[in-house]
Amino acid sequence: MRRVVVLGAGTAGTMVVNKLRRTLSRDDWQITIVDQNDSHHYQPGYLLVPFGVYRPDEIVKPRHEFIPDGVDLVFGEINRVEHDTNTVLLSSGRVLLYDYLIIATGTTPRPDQTPGMVGSQWRKSIFDFYTLDGATALKDKLEVWDGGRLVVHIAEMPIKCPVAPLEFTFLADAFLHERKMRDRVEITYVTPLEGAFTKPVSSRRLGGMLAERDIKLEGDFAVDRIDPDTRTLISMDEREIPFDLLVTVPLNMGADYIARSGLGDELNYVPVDKHTLRSKTHENIFAIGDASDIPASKAGSVAHFAAEAFVDNFVELVHGDVMTHSFDGHANCFIESGNGKGMLIDFNYDTEPLPGKYPVPGIGPFSLLTETRANHLGKLGFRWAYWHLLLRGHPLPVPSLMSMAGKHPDSTD
Ligand SMILES: Cc1cc2nc3c(=O)[nH]c(=O)nc-3n(C[C@H](O)[C@H](O)[C@H](O)COP(=O)(O)OP(=O)(O)OC[C@H]3O[C@@H](n4cnc5c(N)ncnc54)[C@H](O)[C@@H]3O)c2cc1C
């Protein structure tokens, strides 16, 4: 029997074991997947919890329901990978042997990495929505908050779902209007990026949407610390931004065991070839999803598109063939913009988000870089597709490699 061990049964790991179990012979391959608990969170839903759109119980399901028969699901905390002996050590003392290892332990917000963040004001005037606990606490806060300076903040890139803080800001603006208290709130969007987003065309468009909503943009802000007593964000170059309510996306980091195992970079992401996801240092180790260092968005959509190329390559590899498939960095993200509308962006390593129609050129039903009701409905409908199609490794009716069909590269807006 040959053994493949997958670390992490989140979005990427779950999709991969579903696809691999359908492809690799049960007589020849044992597949094991490890996670620390049995609760699978639909993380895109965290965004909508603070505004009361989703309840926590609507975005959490038992993890084991998504792991197919013929895959061993092991619960336990991963402590270390011993790559010289091809073993994984769990904190419980259990040892797993592998021939191939697939790292899919994602990335986690680390508020402990910014001085002053987790202190006297944590979950009083400083909140995050990148965890279910944080999103739930923020909902309770927003229900009673009577206004002031709302600062939405990103500590450092990369973060998972890099558009989520912008979505939060647009939704907060709409929420405050609905509650007839927008005139009592000054909103500032604070980012380490130069503009609203990473790529020029979408950055201009999203920056324009902040301005239209009277939201101030503070760019190039590298946070140094937070003073909880004066409730002030302070940058490395000593700029100060006072807040009454800070909604922050803390530094995101890969799992600590990756550092302990000598497999990661300075943020504990695993360096891999960006087209095959194979470790740059170990031929029998791959990393997929947010855990890798590929220069694509850390997003479920990227994990999904990457899994298609990865599994095809993996099967070629284990049959002794050359890996012929190449992941192109395809990302596809809906962006909630408030008032029942949303945008969509579709891009890859080489092509920035451009205007147009998706997935059917000229028809849609979705519109790229344009706010529409259909895009908003697409975002809401995605939760169903996540639980029923995506996690189970079924194909979605969109190509896994990015297509230029329907895009308008000459348009500057
Ligand atoms: C607020 C928010 C909004 C988002 N919106 C979108 C969106 O609209 N579209 C989109 O495509 N993506 C979105 N994402 C991103 C998406 O959720 C992630 O990119 C995706 O879940 C990544 O999958 P993954 O498998 O790499 O990591 P995860 O799904 O996070 O899974 C990692 C797994 O590893 C396990 N693990 C970690 N460390 C250990 C350890 N030491 N021992 C045992 N188990 C461990 C964890 O328990 C977890 O189950 C959003 C994320 C957030 C937070």
Side-chain angles (χ1 to χ4, degrees):
M1 264 312 224
R2 298 166 87 190
R3 289 159 300 208
V4 53
V5 171
V6 179
L7 302 181
T11 310
T14 304
M15 286 187 298
V16 163
V17 294
N18 274 284
K19 285 175 182 289
L20 285 180
R21 191 62 292 170
R22 286 201 281 272
T23 319
L24 299 175
S25 143
R26 289 185 185 225
D27 293 336
D28 299 335
W29 284 90
Q30 182 184 55
I31 304 177
T32 303
I33 189 164
V34 185
D35 206 296
Q36 52 205 349
N37 58 43
D38 195 23
S39 294
H40 189 118
H41 291 199
Y42 173 62
Q43 297 177 44
Y46 294 170
L47 171 73
L48 298 174
V49 168
F51 305 106
V53 179
Y54 289 153
R55 290 187 320 270
D57 63 288
E58 291 177 301
I59 57 172
V60 179
K61 287 184 190 270
R63 214 181 276 291
H64 68 264
E65 286 182 4
F66 300 94
I67 305 301
D69 286 347
V71 171
D72 298 327
L73 171 60
V74 173
F75 291 118
E77 192 194 355
I78 301 147
N79 181 31
R80 185 188 290 272
V81 175
E82 302 274 7
H83 38 78
D84 294 340
T85 53
N86 290 347
T87 48
V88 177
L89 311 181
L90 305 188
S91 300
S92 62
R94 185 164 173 186
V95 177
L96 303 170
L97 299 175
Y98 64 84
D99 295 296
Y100 290 94
L101 184 70
I102 301 168
I103 297 178
T105 35
T107 184
T108 309
R110 295 291 298 267
D112 56 305
Q113 299 289 311
T114 302
M117 196 177 272
V118 190
S120 56
Q121 290 301 312
W122 183 241
R123 307 251 162 105
K124 292 198 176 80
S125 64
I126 304 176
F127 290 81
D128 77 304
F129 66 96
Y130 266 48
T131 58
L132 188 53
D133 285 353
T136 309
L138 182 54
K139 174 185 186 303
D140 295 342
K141 176 74 179 182
L142 285 175
E143 266 170 14
V144 296
W145 194 51
D146 60 4
R149 291 161 302 191
L150 167 63
V151 173
V152 184
H153 166 246
I154 302 170
E156 193 175 320
M157 301 303 282
I159 56 169
K160 50 185 153 185
C161 197
V163 293
L166 280 166
E167 296 182 275
F168 179 87
T169 310
F170 297 141
L171 291 173
D173 170 73
F175 174 88
L176 295 166
H177 272 293
E178 206 178 296
R179 298 212 148 190
K180 311 233 178 304
M181 58 183 284
R182 180 64 180 89
D183 55 346
R184 282 187 274 133
V185 180
E186 181 188 294
I187 309 181
T188 308
Y189 187 77
V190 181
T191 167
L193 300 172
E194 203 180 315
F197 196 56
T198 45
K199 322 267 177 167
V201 175
S202 51
S203 187
R204 265 199 307 281
R205 175 82 188 101
L206 291 160
M209 286 167 63
L210 290 174
E212 281 161 20
R213 289 159 174 78
D214 196 22
I215 296 165
K216 196 175 157 217
L217 174 70
E218 185 80 29
D220 284 325
F221 192 95
V223 69
D224 180 55
R225 61 194 186 279
I226 294 173
D227 183 338
D229 298 329
T230 59
R231 292 196 295 205
T232 310
L233 261 182
I234 304 162
S235 66
M236 304 272 188
D237 56 8
E238 294 297 325
R239 271 180 285 160
E240 297 194 352
I241 300 181
F243 60 83
D244 298 300
L245 176 58
L246 175 66
V247 178
T248 185
V249 180
L251 177 70
N252 281 202
M253 288 179 74
D256 285 340
Y257 80 85
I258 291 177
R260 283 197 293 277
S261 311
L263 286 171
D265 62 15
E266 68 284 359
L267 287 173
N268 303 347
Y269 297 128
V270 182
V272 296
D273 178 283
K274 69 178 187 176
H275 297 299
T276 63
L277 312 183
R278 193 181 208 172
S279 157
K280 288 187 173 160
T281 49
H282 299 85
E283 291 215 320
N284 62 343
I285 298 182
F286 292 80
I288 188 163
D290 296 350
S292 87
D293 77 336
I294 61 171
S297 282
K298 293 196 180 298
S301 63
V302 172
H304 166 73
F305 295 134
E308 312 249 320
F310 165 74
V311 169
D312 290 345
N313 273 337
F314 189 78
V315 171
E316 287 173 339
L317 177 75
V318 300
H319 288 126
D321 297 326
V322 173
M323 296 193 286
T324 57
H325 301 267
S326 176
F327 179 53
D328 65 348
H330 189 191
N332 181 291
C333 305
F334 286 106
I335 307 175
E336 280 292 279
S337 59
N339 303 311
K341 290 189 177 173
M343 298 215 306
L344 180 65
I345 52 176
D346 188 67
F347 56 107
N348 69 8
Y349 291 138
D350 303 317
T351 305
E352 66 171 314
L354 295 167
K357 292 284 182 187
Y358 184 89
V360 185
I363 294 175
F366 304 122
S367 303
L368 299 168
L369 277 178
T370 304
E371 287 179 74
T372 68
R373 175 106 182 124
N375 291 342
H376 164 71
L377 295 176
K379 173 113 186 174
L380 293 186
F382 196 72
R383 184 167 57 121
W384 184 91
Y386 183 83
W387 295 124
H388 293 91
L389 300 176
L390 200 120
L391 278 185
R392 297 182 193 279
H394 297 307
L396 295 184
V398 292
S400 61
L401 295 180
M402 199 208 75
S403 163
M404 282 303 286
K407 295 194 171 69
H408 307 308
D410 298 334
S411 173
T412 52
D413 187 38

